[in-house]
Amino acid sequence: MRLVVARCSAHYTGRLSAHLPLATRLIVVKADGSVLLHSDGGSYKPLNWMSPPCAMAVREPDAQAAERGVSAVWTVQHAKSDDRLEIELHDVLHDSAHDLGVDPGLIKDGVEAHLQTMLAAQIELLGAGHSLVRREFPTAIGPVDILARDAAGGTVAVEIKRRGEIDGVEQLTRYLELLNRDPHLAPVRGVFAAQEIKPQARILAKDRGIDCLVLDYDAMRGVDDVDSRLF
Amino acid sequence: MRLVVARCSAHYTGRLSAHLPLATRLIVVKADGSVLLHSDGGSYKPLNWMSPPCAMAVREPDAQAAERGVSAVWTVQHAKSDDRLEIELHDVLHDSAHDLGVDPGLIKDGVEAHLQTMLAAQIELLGAGHSLVRREFPTAIGPVDILARDAAGGTVAVEIKRRGEIDGVEQLTRYLELLNRDPHLAPVRGVFAAQEIKPQARILAKDRGIDCLVLDYDAMRGVDDVDSRLF
DNA sequence: CCATTAATTTCGTGG
DNA sequence: CCACGAAGTTAATGG
């Protein structure tokens, strides 16, 4: 990894055209050839970049560019497309290279898939007497996260989101519409389950007769831990 | 901006829990307090990060951590939520600080809004004799990108995308369904316009009786230049 | 390898 | 300030 802090301007052409006026920025050149141009604020997204696979060519500025104060021109060309990033370097304030090695990568926990697994294992969170039919119950318009039966034998369709917003309720509504056409399943009740349910989503769900269930991730994980001790 | 290259591990808790095992990484601390942890590959997304507004606290490792080789612990706490990123620094291979100043920001060109403006100005690309009714024609389910009339006086609804995919055709289908209920407008013909149209989207459009129009950005811009010379 | 969907998405725009 | 949609989205997953 090479780190360069320099006054520079940049031009990108590819899926769009974009230009960065002259300013001081961090330029990161990664081991795989990818390049990031970062400013000293904003979020994690660079001002401009080139994704791998790509290769960088360095050349001297022409007379006109040199006149403008350009000390070097870096052209980063994507290997499989016409995407190209051209950086004009002026003053270089810092330049260092570092051997980082391969990263073992991020280990995640608490995403939607995990919530689904845990809710399936703790299906009585839907209410006493509920039983799991199956996870990822297939329908013509896609799989329903969880299909269950309640104590009275009625069918329950569950849509799980990490954060419950309106589009999740819409999704569940479409599933319910379809499932309720199946005489073997109908009537099917809907449950919208999420770690956090936005007020608007809650209102829409209520309007559609869909129950809301807030999932307490830590509590569910705690139960999982207890379960795992039994084995 | 502070640049640190160090062997480190990290732990994030907030909207999810995530862990980074010990490895050598780039740590960027921006002027607004935000922190990025980058590996030497992948795309522009960091392995882990904290978005602004946030603040970092540095503390000495406890005896146990020191035993494991930890030289310092950085805790980055988000100002408005419970999001927290904790970094355990082991060997520090590089540490430098740089004053970058405020960035003038990226200037973009060739996005959907621009395509819409240009197509409105060159409405005959839809076919000879077409005239513009209006851009962003409002409907109950959202604005139609362009509404026009063809040579025969028939209504034409245009959906514009940079890249034409299936969901764009679905969107236009919903608009057409709604517009065709209005006796003042019906029958309304649909045109799906994009710089690039995916095969699946083209097939779906054809199936729905929607015409496809590939927009040549450079050619359209060329015409725009000619137009602007007239004024 | 392609299509689909989520994301600690981020980023803009318009109400 | 919030909801909505696009992004040079990126990243993971399933077929």
Side-chain angles (χ1 to χ4, degrees), chain B residues 12 15-16 48-49 51:
Chain B
Y12 166 79
R15 281 165 277 194
L16 56 67
N48 220 322
W49 71 93
S51 306

Side-chain angles (χ1 to χ4, degrees), chain A:
Chain A
M1 178 182 282
R2 184 173 172 192
L3 303 176
V4 175
V5 177
R7 280 215 315 145
C8 62
S9 63
H11 216 89
Y12 164 79
T13 55
R15 280 166 277 194
L16 57 68
S17 298
H19 175 70
L20 276 175
L22 186 60
T24 306
R25 305 188 173 92
L26 166 67
I27 308 171
V28 179
V29 184
K30 292 193 174 187
D32 58 7
S34 58
V35 176
L36 320 180
L37 269 72
H38 269 282
S39 66
D40 207 349
S43 64
Y44 66 67
K45 197 175 179 182
L47 292 164
N48 221 323
W49 72 94
M50 184 61 68
S51 305
C54 61
M56 186 170 80
V58 178
R59 69 167 196 272
E60 295 294 310
D62 59 33
Q64 201 176 15
E67 189 68 28
R68 283 187 286 114
V70 177
S71 60
V73 180
W74 291 2
T75 302
V76 189
Q77 174 70 53
H78 196 268
K80 295 183 175 178
S81 72
D82 290 332
D83 287 31
R84 170 198 289 258
L85 176 63
E86 193 161 281
I87 308 169
E88 285 189 344
L89 290 147
H90 291 238
D91 319 275
V92 175
L93 309 175
H94 174 92
D95 190 344
S96 64
H98 311 272
D99 188 11
L100 268 55
V102 178
D103 201 284
L106 187 68
I107 299 156
K108 282 189 188 183
D109 198 8
V111 289
E112 183 183 326
H114 195 208
L115 288 173
Q116 189 192 106
T117 315
M118 291 196 299
L119 182 56
Q122 304 170 39
I123 197 71
E124 296 216 340
L125 286 173
L126 294 176
H130 280 69
S131 61
L132 179 69
V133 174
R134 73 162 288 183
R135 295 199 287 131
E136 301 285 345
F137 181 87
T139 77
I141 55 170
V144 176
D145 286 342
I146 284 182
L147 204 73
R149 290 203 181 275
D150 61 25
T155 310
V156 182
V158 186
E159 175 64 35
I160 300 173
K161 292 286 174 196
R162 199 173 44 73
R163 278 191 293 182
E165 300 180 25
I166 280 181
D167 58 346
V169 179
E170 294 285 10
Q171 194 178 342
L172 178 53
T173 304
R174 290 196 297 272
Y175 287 137
L176 288 170
E177 200 173 0
L178 198 71
L179 293 170
N180 272 311
R181 285 187 210 157
D182 185 340
H184 295 290
L185 298 173
V188 183
R189 190 162 59 83
V191 174
F192 189 55
Q195 276 189 277
E196 176 199 353
I197 297 178
K198 294 282 171 84
Q200 284 211 345
R202 191 179 287 275
I203 289 166
L204 183 65
K206 185 174 178 125
D207 180 64
R208 303 238 169 115
I210 291 169
D211 292 331
C212 285
L213 175 64
V214 174
L215 301 173
D216 183 333
Y217 176 73
D218 292 325
M220 291 173 82
R221 189 169 49 182
V223 172
D224 255 17
D225 288 348
V226 170
D227 284 351
S228 58
R229 277 183 221 134
L230 300 175
F231 293 88

